[in-house]
Amino acid sequence: MKLFVCWVLTSVVCLAVLRKMWSSRYLRSHLSRSLYMNMMNHNQALYWEGNHQWYLCDTEKLSEALRPMFVQSYLDHGTQTFLNRSIEKSGWLSIQLYHSFMSSVFSMFMSRTSINGLLGRGSMFVFSPEQFQRLLKIGPDWKSHRLLDLGAGDGEVTRVMSPHFEEIYVTEMSQTMIWQLQKKKYRVLNIDEWQNTGFQYDVISCLNLLDRCHQPVTLLKEMRRVLEPTRGRVILALVLPFHPYVENGGKWEKPSEAMEVNGTVWEEQVNSLADVFQNTGFVVEAVTRLPYLCEGDMYNDYYVLDDAVFVLRPV
Ligand SMILES: C[S@@+](CC[C@H](N)C(=O)[O-])C[C@H]1O[C@@H](n2cnc3c(N)ncnc32)[C@H](O)[C@@H]1O
Ligand SMILES: *[C@@H]1O[C@H](CO)[C@@H](O)[C@H](O)[C@H]1NC(C)=O
Ligand SMILES: *[C@@H]1O[C@H](CO)[C@@H](O)[C@H](O)[C@H]1NC(C)=O
């Protein structure tokens, strides 16, 4: 038994060190001063160009109603801080090794989300405080009463919005994420409780949840019902292209309720989503394109998905 554990540990370590050596960071620090200088500069250029691409939208392809609602975002200080921190963290070899080992053990019976919640890793980034304020057209001192963050994950994205609210309610499906949220002192509601509290919310955030839950259309209708009907706003993020699936333990399932999103490119799917929102009682007040960032592991500095972020007003 001891021998077996030793063997597993040694092979994990060897594998990790090998991969690490071949990662760009190794090349960056050891070879860039000589042979690879040119290649490095080239990569650096690509890197920045890539960042620019994250925010691009062909407004010609947006429907006429949406075109004036498009907000151009860019890589700001808050986003760069998250990226820097993420790059730094992925370089901590011993912690990354520990995470990698624990993940492979737990992944036999737990969802990826719950493992991240348990290990307190893989935090996400959707928008900086400045980007959030610009989308909602509010100042840094703007205050409101109640925020409801549906599918809040570990609460790191909630934290960006929290200074603007007196009471912060959250929901989560994953038990380990609920522990993280309770540790951060948010008021955790059950996933069938937030609709029936008897009060209304001033802002409801639904970030990267519609493609990960069983009943996205029902969820939209319920949000409409409990949102403050005049000044209330929904801030909604969705990864495009739209690929709905639901995590269940370590498995993936198809959602029980279909939400139809037409089109192939980002702009077409955004147009189609505006129709879905219209049918559930909302109109798009602002829309932007942002990278949905996730902290990296020992193989990557960070991960990027393509988000569409909407501000919805009830009609
Ligand atoms: C992709 S994560 C998004 C986390 C965070 N909002 C963000 O934008 O980074 C989706 C989360 O929704 C949770 N979830 C799935 N179905 C849910 C439901 N019906 N109600 C509340 N949370 C749910 C999952 O456990 C997961 O943590
Ligand atoms: C991020 O890191 C880069 C390169 O190390 C540095 O030039 C930049 O000032 C850092 N930015 C922030 C916001 O921390
Ligand atoms: C998607 O396309 C189908 C067939 O063209 C149409 O019936 C449906 O209304 C469209 N849905 C959305 C949300 O645009």
Side-chain angles (χ1 to χ4, degrees), residues 16-45:
V17 171
L18 262 176
R19 296 237 188 177
K20 199 72 194 170
M21 276 176 55
W22 288 109
S23 78
S24 56
R25 202 194 323 271
Y26 184 83
L27 287 176
R28 220 175 290 166
S29 51
H30 295 268
L31 298 172
S32 62
R33 275 177 296 270
S34 55
L35 217 66
Y36 285 79
M37 203 60 174
N38 273 333
M39 192 184 113
M40 275 308 297
N41 288 340
H42 189 63
N43 280 346
Q44 197 75 28

Side-chain angles (χ1 to χ4, degrees), residues 76-78 80-81 84:
D76 67 356
H77 187 268
Q80 189 61 58
T81 304
N84 281 11

Side-chain angles (χ1 to χ4, degrees), residues 142-153:
W142 182 82
K143 282 263 183 232
S144 195
H145 195 53
R146 288 194 194 96
L147 169 71
L148 170 66
D149 191 12
L150 297 170

Side-chain angles (χ1 to χ4, degrees), residues 84-136:
N84 281 11
R85 179 88 186 132
S86 188
I87 293 168
E88 186 194 333
K89 270 189 174 177
S90 74
W92 298 343
L93 188 58
S94 50
I95 288 186
Q96 295 304 341
L97 272 177
Y98 163 74
H99 282 164
S100 164
F101 180 72
M102 297 300 270
S103 302
S104 52
V105 174
F106 286 126
S107 64
M108 284 179 260
F109 51 92
M110 260 169 114
S111 73
R112 185 124 304 267
T113 302
S114 296
I115 296 170
N116 284 346
L118 188 69
L119 299 175
R121 67 147 198 193
S123 282
M124 315 295 287
F125 181 94
V126 182
F127 38 56
S128 66
E130 292 76 22
Q131 287 166 342
F132 174 69
Q133 289 160 20
R134 215 162 134 241
L135 279 171
L136 280 183

Side-chain angles (χ1 to χ4, degrees), residues 211 213-214 243-247 251-258:
D211 55 352
C213 67
H214 267 297
H243 285 304
Y245 61 86
V246 181
E247 269 185 307
K251 297 189 302 287
W252 302 105
E253 290 175 350
K254 262 192 137 34
S256 57
E257 184 185 78

Side-chain angles (χ1 to χ4, degrees), residues 113 124 126 149-153 157 171-174 177 191 207-209 212-213 292:
T113 302
M124 315 295 287
V126 182
D149 191 12
L150 297 170
V157 183
T171 69
E172 242 310 320
M173 194 76 147
S174 149
M177 287 300 183
I191 58 169
L207 305 173
N208 305 297
L209 172 62
R212 292 289 171 272
C213 67
Y292 181 33

